[in-house]
Amino acid sequence: MVAALVQALGGLGIFLMGMVVMTQGLRELAGDAMREALMRFTRSPTSGAISGTLTTALLQSSSATTVAAVGFVSAGLMSFSQALGVIFGANLGTTITGWLVVLLGFKLQLGELVLPLIFAGVVMRLFGARRWSAAGFALAGFSLLFVGLATLQEGVADVGQLLDPQRFGDDSMSGRLKLLLLGMGVTVITQSSSAGVAAALSALHADLIQFEQAAALIIGMDVGTTVTAALAAVGGGTGARRTGLSHVIFNVFTGVLAFAMISPYVTVSSALYPHFIGTQAEIALVVFHSVFNLIGVAMVLPVARPFARFVETVVPDKSPRFTGGLSSALLEQPKQALAAVHTAVREEIYALLGAVVELASSVADVEQATVSELKRPLDDTQAYIDNLHFTEATGAQWEQLVALVHTLDHLQRLQGRCQEESQPASTAATSTVLARERTLFLDTARRLLVLIENNHWADAAQLALNTETEIRERVEPLRTEIVHLLARDELNIPQANRLLGAVRWMKRVSTHLARICHHYREAVLAAGQSRQGGT
C-alpha cells in the first residue's frame, strides 16, 4: 500500500514537473508572440475571453495569461473590463489539460511511447539554438506529462482503499461537499488544478470513485485556485489585487453553479446518451468541466463592465500618478514594459507642458507644487527605464528606447529649469517688453496641449520647432531693445537683468519643448514599426 501511494505521488510529481517544463518551454518559444496577440486582439470583454482561452490553451498556463493581462492594465494598454474577459477566458483555457489527459493519456496510452521524445527534447535543449532549445524543453515537458500520468494511473489503481467512495458516505450533498473541500485542498497543496484534475480522472478511470464524486472534486480544484490567486494578490499592486478579487468572485460563482449542475448534468446525459457516463466517464467529466466553465463565462461576460466598475470601487487605485503602470513584474516582458514607459512619458509631457503654461501666464508668483511633484515620477521613470535592455539588433524597440531616453532627458532638464528659475518665468509672464514673445510662447504651448492630447505628434513637433526658431531669432533684437531701454534710463540694471533672464528662459524652454516633441515623435514612429513587426 505504501509503495503504491509513493508511486501515485511520484506520478503526480512527474506530471507537475512536466507541466512546469512544458509551460516554460512554450513561454520561451511563443510567449512574446502570444502576449502581443493577447494585447492586439483584446478589444472588448468578449474578445478578451476568446484571446485568454486560446493563449492559455497554447501556453498551458493561466497564470502567465493573467499576469500579462494585469501588466497591460497597469501600463494603460488595456482596460480592466477587457482584462476581465482575458481572466475569465484563462479559466476556460485550463480545461484543455483535461482533454489532453483523456484523449492522449487514457485513450492512446502514450506513457512508454514518449520516452524517446524526452531524450530528443533534452538534446534539443542542450545543443539547439534559442528557438530549438525552447521547443525541446516544451517537447520534453509534454512527454513527461504522459509518463507521470501512466505512473499515477498504476499507483492509483492500488490505493483503492484510500479513495473508497464509502469514506465520504453515499453520493449525498454532504459527501459532495467533503469532496469539494478535498479538491480545494489538493489544489492549494499542489498549486496546480491541472494536476488535481489528472488525479481525479485517474481515480475515475480506475473505478475508484463515482462520476458525481469526481465532478465534486474538480469543482473544488477550480475553486481552490482562488486561494492561490488571493495569496498572490496580497501585497501586490492595484492590478494584482483587483485581478485576485475578480478571480475569487468568478470561481466561487462558477463553483456554486457547477455544484448545482451535477445532478441535472447526469440526468440529461443519461436521458440523451444512456451509456455515456457508464462507458465514457472520463470524457463525460472533462465535458462537464468545460461546460460549466463555458456557461460561467457566458453568464458573466454581459455584465463584465459593471462588474469591473464594482471591483474598481472595492479596490481603489492607490498607485502613484504617471508611474503606476511601471511594475517590476512587467519587466519580464520587455516589449510591454517599454510600452508602459511610452505611456508614462506621454502623460508626464502633458503634465509638465501644462505647468509651463501656468508659469508663463501667471501675473503673480506661481505655486511650484505641480512642477515639484513631477520630479519624483520623472526620476522613477528614469530608474525603471534603466532596467530595460535592448540592443541595436532588436531594431524598432531599440529606436523607441533611445528616443524615449532622449525625451526623458529633456523632460528632466525642463522640470529642473521650471522649478529652479521661477523668477525669470514670472518676469516673462508680466513684462510688457516681452508681450509679443510671451503671446507666441503661450499660444504655442496651448496648441501643443491640444495636439498632444489627440496624439498628433508630427504636427506638435513641427509647431514646437517653428516656435523655437522664431524665439531664437528674436533673442538678439530683444537684447538690443533692453540695452537701449537701459541707456535711456527707462530701465535700471536689476530690471534689465531680469528681462534678459526671462528672454533666456523662454529660449531654453522652447528648445526643450522642441526636442521633447521631436524625440517623442520618433518614439511613436518606432512603436508603430514594432507593432507591424518591423525591425
Side-chain angles (χ1 to χ4, degrees):
M1 178 60 63
V2 173
L5 180 60
V6 169
Q7 184 178 18
L9 292 175
L12 186 61
I14 294 171
F15 185 90
L16 275 170
M17 179 57 69
M19 286 293 297
V20 171
V21 172
M22 180 177 70
T23 297
Q24 179 64 31
L26 289 171
R27 288 175 70 175
E28 291 179 14
L29 183 65
D32 286 344
M34 287 296 98
R35 285 188 288 266
E36 187 75 23
L38 184 67
M39 182 177 66
R40 180 175 298 180
F41 295 112
T42 298
R43 293 291 177 266
S44 66
T46 302
S47 64
I50 295 171
S51 301
T53 300
L54 295 177
T55 302
T56 302
L58 291 172
L59 293 181
Q60 282 297 293
S61 174
S62 60
S63 61
T65 303
T66 302
V67 167
V70 171
F72 295 149
V73 172
S74 298
L77 304 174
M78 185 184 292
S79 71
F80 183 60
S81 62
Q82 292 170 337
L84 278 180
V86 173
I87 294 164
F88 301 153
N91 260 38
L92 186 58
T94 57
T95 64
I96 299 299
T97 305
W99 287 101
L100 290 175
V101 168
V102 169
L103 297 179
L104 300 181
F106 293 162
K107 299 299 180 184
L108 298 183
Q109 296 289 325
L110 297 179
E112 293 184 3
L113 297 177
V114 297
L115 291 175
L117 296 180
I118 297 176
F119 176 75
V122 171
V123 170
M124 291 167 63
R125 180 68 176 183
L126 292 175
F127 302 107
R130 190 180 70 85
R131 295 189 67 82
W132 283 104
S133 175
F137 216 42
L139 178 63
F142 180 75
S143 304
L144 276 175
L145 286 180
F146 300 105
V147 173
L149 187 61
T151 306
L152 175 64
Q153 283 182 262
E154 292 176 12
V156 165
D158 295 327
V159 291
Q161 298 93 321
L162 296 178
L163 291 173
D164 188 343
Q166 298 306 315
R167 286 179 175 270
F168 303 99
D170 296 330
D171 178 31
S172 61
M173 187 65 68
S174 62
R176 292 180 186 180
L177 282 172
K178 291 177 184 177
L179 282 159
L180 186 148
L181 293 174
L182 176 62
M184 289 181 63
V186 168
T187 299
V188 171
I189 292 170
T190 62
Q191 294 290 294
S192 171
S193 61
S194 296
V197 169
L201 285 167
S202 297
L204 183 62
H205 184 70
D207 293 324
L208 300 179
I209 57 176
Q210 300 171 12
F211 175 85
E212 292 85 351
Q213 292 173 316
L217 274 172
I218 65 167
I219 293 169
M221 291 163 188
D222 265 28
V223 175
T225 60
T226 63
V227 176
T228 303
L231 291 174
V234 174
T238 302
R241 287 184 286 115
R242 285 175 175 171
T243 302
L245 177 60
S246 303
H247 198 269
V248 169
I249 294 174
F250 176 70
N251 276 38
V252 169
F253 167 73
T254 55
V256 171
L257 175 69
F259 196 78
M261 283 176 56
I262 295 177
S263 294
Y265 178 81
V266 172
T267 301
V268 172
S269 297
S270 299
L272 295 177
Y273 306 100
H275 304 294
F276 181 46
I277 291 179
T279 59
Q280 302 287 338
E282 304 86 16
I283 293 180
L285 186 61
V286 294
V287 169
F288 175 72
H289 191 201
S290 300
V291 165
F292 80 70
N293 273 287
L294 180 60
I295 292 176
V297 171
M299 291 180 69
V300 173
L301 277 180
V303 294
R305 287 187 172 89
F307 180 61
R309 289 194 293 271
F310 166 74
V311 173
E312 288 168 344
T313 302
V314 174
V315 184
D317 189 1
K318 296 181 179 178
S319 57
R321 189 184 176 195
F322 305 118
T323 57
L326 305 183
S327 66
S328 57
L330 202 60
L331 289 171
E332 296 179 7
Q333 305 167 45
K335 288 177 66 175
Q336 281 70 45
L338 184 62
V341 171
H342 194 106
T343 301
V345 170
R346 178 191 178 279
E347 297 303 315
E348 288 161 353
I349 292 171
Y350 190 84
L352 187 53
L353 182 56
V356 168
V357 170
E358 186 177 304
L359 281 168
S361 60
S362 177
V363 294
D365 288 338
V366 178
E367 174 62 45
Q368 295 290 310
T370 304
V371 174
S372 300
E373 288 170 0
L374 281 165
K375 185 179 189 316
R376 176 67 179 273
L378 288 171
D379 290 345
D380 288 347
T381 305
Q382 183 185 49
Y384 189 85
I385 211 170
D386 284 342
N387 293 306
L388 295 178
H389 305 292
F390 293 94
T391 65
E392 294 183 52
T394 58
Q397 285 83 42
W398 167 261
E399 294 172 7
Q400 185 181 3
L401 177 63
V402 170
L404 288 173
V405 169
H406 282 303
T407 305
L408 190 59
D409 172 55
H410 281 284
L411 276 171
Q412 289 177 302
R413 290 158 65 184
L414 176 58
Q415 187 276 334
R417 191 171 300 285
C418 291
Q419 183 173 342
E420 297 166 9
E421 300 179 5
S422 58
Q423 182 58 56
S426 179
T427 302
T430 58
S431 172
T432 57
V433 176
L434 304 178
R436 176 186 168 189
E437 288 70 28
R438 179 174 64 251
T439 300
L440 170 64
F441 182 85
L442 280 172
D443 284 349
T444 295
R446 287 169 178 148
R447 288 171 61 193
L448 284 175
L449 283 172
V450 175
L451 292 171
I452 291 171
E453 188 173 17
N454 292 286
N455 286 314
H456 295 159
W457 287 99
D459 293 339
Q462 188 61 56
L463 174 62
L465 178 62
N466 292 342
T467 300
E468 180 206 10
T469 302
E470 190 169 347
I471 288 180
R472 187 183 295 274
E473 290 173 351
R474 287 287 301 158
V475 168
E476 286 306 319
L478 277 171
R479 285 175 176 165
T480 301
E481 182 180 352
I482 291 168
V483 170
H484 287 172
L485 290 171
L486 179 63
R488 293 198 297 266
D489 290 330
E490 295 181 30
L491 292 175
N492 56 36
I493 290 179
Q495 290 172 326
N497 286 337
R498 283 196 295 271
L499 283 172
L500 290 171
V503 171
R504 286 192 299 270
W505 184 84
M506 282 196 293
K507 173 190 170 186
R508 290 168 180 168
V509 169
S510 64
T511 298
H512 286 310
L513 290 177
R515 298 295 180 272
I516 287 167
C517 292
H518 166 74
H519 289 302
Y520 195 81
R521 175 176 179 266
E522 294 298 308
V524 170
L525 292 174
Q529 292 174 3
S530 176
R531 283 192 293 270
Q532 295 168 10
T535 57

